[in-house]
Amino acid sequence: MKKLLKDVATSLVYLVVMLVNPLLNGVQSLRAHHWPTERRKLRLIGSPTARAARAAERERIRGLVEALGAVEGVEHLLTQVLDQSTRPSSYGLDHPRDTLLVCRIHARAYFVVREDVLDVLRRIEAANVAEWQANGQGPDPHGSLEHALRWYRDGGVDANGWRMDPPCLSSPGAKLTWDRPGIPPRDPIPAGPYPNRLFVLEQTPPDADAARLLDEARADGRGVVLELAFGADWVDYCQYHKVARGGFAGRGRL
């Protein structure tokens, strides 16, 4: 009798395993291919932690834009902030196996200078708008005022006849470039369309045609356009939040 009960129990366990395994495999497949929905992702990136991190990054951007626009001779034209939450790349630090979403801000602000740009660059550095690096220091040694002045003075060629790196002003979280001879300006952030609501582009002024506005500022040599791009560690974006994988069947984090 005991042997019979043991055999029945073993058979029941085997049957349960056979029934549950396809279900678990189905759950894993759904998680891999169908979950989370866009609605779920929006809730995840709208968490209090994500909102606080986003607000802090936006405030940093706003503060630097206002400080630069307050320098004498600098006129603010346009600010673009593209907030996007996407799956991490397979070759990045945040692997898709561990990270569901990475939230980043691509931000650029544009200004126009209608006088000698070198005079204005000196004022920008003197105003302590940001911690611009000293010449020859940091990962971007050409990102200093000294290098910029030497670049213009020597026509972009060093004492050995080599072409010098293009000048800019670099700080730990932003880089300031401007219209420089022989260096074509890059296009502003495109207006879209973007694939879903996980991509949000905001502009100041909101209805501006960015490309047209910058072209008009440059027309007939009426001004030199400055571009303040936000990012760190050689990338043109600021990563402010990430959503880790976890939870079960769509509950909690995936």
Side-chain angles (χ1 to χ4, degrees), residues 132-143:
W132 308 118
Q133 69 178 40
N135 190 60
Q137 297 180 4
D140 192 9
H142 60 283

Side-chain angles (χ1 to χ4, degrees), residues 45-112:
I45 65 174
S47 69
T49 301
R51 290 201 307 269
R54 185 178 303 115
E57 188 57 36
R58 295 283 188 94
E59 180 62 23
R60 184 180 77 87
I61 292 169
R62 184 195 63 78
L64 190 49
V65 170
E66 289 185 356
L68 183 55
V71 175
E72 180 185 355
V74 178
E75 175 188 339
H76 177 259
L77 288 176
L78 174 75
T79 298
Q80 296 182 299
V81 177
L82 175 60
D83 191 333
Q84 65 178 54
S85 298
T86 59
R87 293 185 62 186
S89 61
S90 59
Y91 52 81
L93 295 177
D94 300 311
H95 196 276
R97 187 185 312 159
D98 308 311
T99 306
L100 177 66
L101 293 171
V102 176
C103 298
R104 297 169 175 159
I105 284 179
H106 298 254
R108 300 181 200 166
Y110 296 90
F111 308 81
V112 64

Side-chain angles (χ1 to χ4, degrees), residues 154-233:
D154 298 336
V157 178
D158 65 17
N160 297 316
W162 294 94
R163 185 159 297 279
M164 299 168 64
D165 290 328
C168 64
L169 294 184
S170 289
S171 77
K175 178 181 287 188
L176 180 67
T177 57
W178 54 92
D179 295 341
R180 297 148 297 180
I183 303 175
R186 62 175 177 170
D187 295 329
I189 298 174
Y194 293 99
N196 53 46
R197 291 178 294 166
L198 298 172
F199 294 76
V200 178
L201 176 65
E202 296 180 6
Q203 290 190 160
T204 305
D207 299 325
D209 181 329
R212 181 177 178 181
L213 185 64
L214 299 181
D215 286 343
E216 289 176 350
R218 294 183 172 106
D220 302 322
R222 286 181 291 180
V224 173
V225 172
L226 314 182
E227 180 194 273
L228 181 64
F230 292 84
D233 300 325

Side-chain angles (χ1 to χ4, degrees), residues 135-151:
N135 190 60
Q137 297 180 4
D140 192 9
H142 60 283
S144 67
L145 178 62
E146 182 180 343
H147 177 88
L149 296 176
R150 191 167 63 250
W151 189 89

Side-chain angles (χ1 to χ4, degrees), residues 8-28:
V8 169
T10 301
S11 298
L12 288 174
V13 170
Y14 178 77
L15 180 61
V16 168
V17 170
M18 292 295 293
L19 292 173
V20 169
N21 269 342
L23 177 61
L24 292 176
N25 290 336
V27 167
Q28 293 296 330

